Amino acid sequence: MPLAFSASQALQLSVKQHADQLPDYLNDEERVIGALLDPRQLENLGGGRYRYTVTRLQVFQLQIQPVVELVARRSTNRIELEAIDCQLEGLGIVDDFQLTLESWLEANEEGLNGEACLAVSVSQPSLLRLIPVKVLEATGRSLLAGILLGIKTRVQQQLLHDFKVWCLTPAGR
């Protein structure tokens, strides 16, 4: 029986200055993705596709490191990011690991709104067979919620900082 867990995080962020420029900023896809995610762990594959190596995670006695392939899509006032593939390093051979990520960020008159939903389905690793499924799923939900909270914090700090720099740097636009 596979383990399945998910988490979601919503964002409503007021932007006081230059909010009218947010749609143009969101169109600068590579810059926005680099501000949302750690650029040292991000590789631009071209054509709106990126590879992101997630920071190594410790789950009980296992260390895992997801490597996620993402695709970015833009529309008016909005950027969407979706996971289209994921490899899991650290668990050995896991045939049935699935990760889904669907997220969006949208500019409006007041600032930014967004949401991210992250879900994982995976077979129970043999090293963790003695731990009850409910405990593993609760730990998984907590881990995913922590990842999403980290991204939300990065949006609130790094993305807003980058937006301010972008607004002050006409050459950067």
Side-chain angles (χ1 to χ4, degrees):
M1 180 173 93
L3 301 170
F5 34 91
S6 62
S8 63
Q9 184 71 246
L11 172 76
Q12 289 184 321
L13 189 58
S14 176
V15 175
K16 303 274 188 242
Q17 296 180 319
H18 308 291
D20 60 320
Q21 294 180 27
L22 279 168
D24 291 332
Y25 174 74
L26 290 181
N27 274 329
D28 193 344
E29 174 189 298
E30 189 172 351
R31 183 173 187 136
V32 171
I33 301 299
L36 286 172
L37 304 170
D38 187 337
R40 296 169 299 188
Q41 297 167 251
L42 188 65
E43 177 185 357
N44 187 341
L45 303 174
R49 295 169 71 115
Y50 299 85
R51 180 175 297 121
Y52 187 64
T53 304
V54 179
T55 303
R56 190 170 296 278
L57 306 166
Q58 175 114 14
V59 181
F60 296 102
Q61 298 301 318
L62 298 175
Q63 286 197 10
I64 57 172
Q65 185 167 33
V67 179
V68 183
E69 190 170 329
L70 303 163
V71 64
R73 295 181 189 91
R74 291 175 300 188
S75 59
T76 306
N77 299 348
R78 183 177 174 115
I79 189 166
E80 297 175 8
L81 199 56
E82 179 184 359
I84 56 173
D85 190 29
C86 183
Q87 303 300 316
L88 192 59
E89 298 175 2
L91 281 183
I93 298 173
V94 176
D95 294 328
D96 61 350
F97 176 78
Q98 291 183 322
L99 178 139
T100 58
L101 168 68
E102 295 178 356
S103 62
W104 57 271
L105 197 57
E106 188 170 79
N108 60 36
E109 305 84 42
E110 289 90 39
L112 292 169
N113 287 334
E115 184 175 28
C117 299
L118 183 59
V120 168
S121 174
V122 65
S123 61
Q124 189 170 354
S126 58
L127 289 173
L128 303 179
R129 294 255 189 244
L130 297 177
I131 299 173
V133 170
K134 296 283 187 205
V135 171
L136 292 174
E137 289 176 343
T139 301
R141 282 191 301 277
S142 177
L143 184 66
L144 295 183
I147 290 170
L148 291 178
L149 184 59
I151 292 172
K152 180 179 181 177
T153 301
R154 191 165 176 85
V155 169
Q156 293 171 322
Q157 296 172 359
Q158 179 62 31
L159 185 87
L160 277 187
H161 172 75
D162 188 67
F163 172 65
K164 288 176 186 175
V165 170
W166 180 87
C167 286
L168 298 173
T169 314
R173 293 188 255 164

